[in-house]
Amino acid sequence: MRKVLCIDRDMKRIWPAARVGCIQYMADVEKKNEELWAYLKKEVFKRVKDAVFDYGVSEIPNVRESRTAYKAFGKDPSRYRVSSEALIRRIAQGKGLYEVNTVVDANNLISVESGFSVGSYDAAKIGGELVFRVGKEGEMYKGIGKEQIKIEGLPVLADSEGAVGSSTSDSERAMITENTKEVLTLIYSFSDNGDLEKALDHGKRYLEKYAFAREIEAWVAE
């Protein structure tokens, strides 16, 4: 069943341009797609490094707008980096990207190409009604491969049980594993331009090609 996602009124008041691109689909999650990694290493890493040379990381389109939004929410974007910026910095430093699984690797491809933070969630482990909002005072969760993360003031994705992800770092609760069957991939946009629709279109194609996504539904929450 298609998830319902809304953007919290207080978030829209602080940052009216906040939108989320949504892609829900079935997938057989595998450890690695060699074709995806060949594309990353041959094409994408070079383009990302060129963009860093041209703009500097913090001024890359859509990273820049995300950083400005974080400031509006009261967070230092150099301390709490939007995940796309963190990935781009790894590539610029010659560290490449972590190999996780076919869905997460395709997720990261969408992110570094678009400059948007992208999160993928096991649909069976999140509620049917979701909200994108600002983290509440004292709010925390266990991050993927990390201890408890303070998410107060960060843009977060939440269901009736509480926050499950953010545009900086997601929680363990709905992380993608090779047992995941249905996925919700979200593209978090703080930009007032048409790049989200472009990223959504590219994202669908990448997920079909590299993560073998099927039964795809895609929409934008505004």
Side-chain angles (χ1 to χ4, degrees), residues 20-53:
V20 182
C22 311
I23 311 173
Q24 189 168 336
Y25 53 96
M26 305 301 293
D28 297 318
V29 185
E30 299 178 0
K31 187 172 183 180
K32 186 177 182 180
N33 184 305
E34 295 290 353
E35 187 180 1
L36 166 58
W37 279 94
Y39 176 60
L40 280 166
K41 292 174 180 178
K42 184 177 180 180
E43 304 284 345
V44 179
F45 289 176
K46 182 183 184 302
R47 289 206 302 268
V48 169
K49 289 178 181 178
D50 288 345
V52 171
F53 180 80

Side-chain angles (χ1 to χ4, degrees), residues 199-216:
L200 196 64
D201 183 59
H202 287 185
K204 286 190 294 182
R205 288 194 283 107
Y206 287 146
L207 290 164
E208 283 181 309
K209 184 174 183 178
Y210 299 125
F212 309 111
R214 59 192 186 277
E215 299 176 40
I216 298 173

Side-chain angles (χ1 to χ4, degrees), residues 95-213:
K95 297 177 181 178
L97 298 175
Y98 294 110
E99 295 180 7
V100 183
N101 57 53
T102 47
V103 167
V104 175
D105 296 345
N107 174 115
N108 291 342
L109 167 59
I110 300 165
S111 186
V112 298
E113 279 206 338
S114 68
F116 293 124
S117 172
V118 182
S120 290
Y121 309 92
D122 188 323
K125 296 180 180 178
I126 55 178
E129 296 186 2
L130 304 162
V131 60
F132 189 42
R133 60 168 172 80
V134 179
K136 299 174 182 177
E137 183 177 355
E139 199 167 18
M140 303 176 71
Y141 57 49
K142 190 174 189 311
I144 298 174
K146 302 177 182 178
E147 297 304 316
Q148 292 291 315
I149 297 175
K150 295 179 181 179
I151 55 174
E152 177 180 340
L154 287 174
V156 301
L157 176 73
D159 61 11
S160 59
E161 293 183 34
V164 67
S166 83
S167 47
T168 286
S169 183
D170 289 320
S171 78
E172 277 191 348
R173 171 154 65 100
M175 65 186 286
I176 303 298
T177 71
E178 289 179 38
N179 294 319
T180 299
K181 298 301 178 187
E182 186 171 10
V183 182
L184 179 67
T185 292
L186 300 180
I187 305 172
Y188 298 110
S189 171
F190 300 100
S191 302
D192 188 12
N193 58 33
D195 287 356
L196 177 59
E197 284 75 13
K198 182 178 177 181
L200 196 64
D201 183 59
H202 287 185
K204 286 190 294 182
R205 288 194 283 107
Y206 287 146
L207 290 164
E208 283 181 309
K209 184 174 183 178
Y210 299 125
F212 309 111

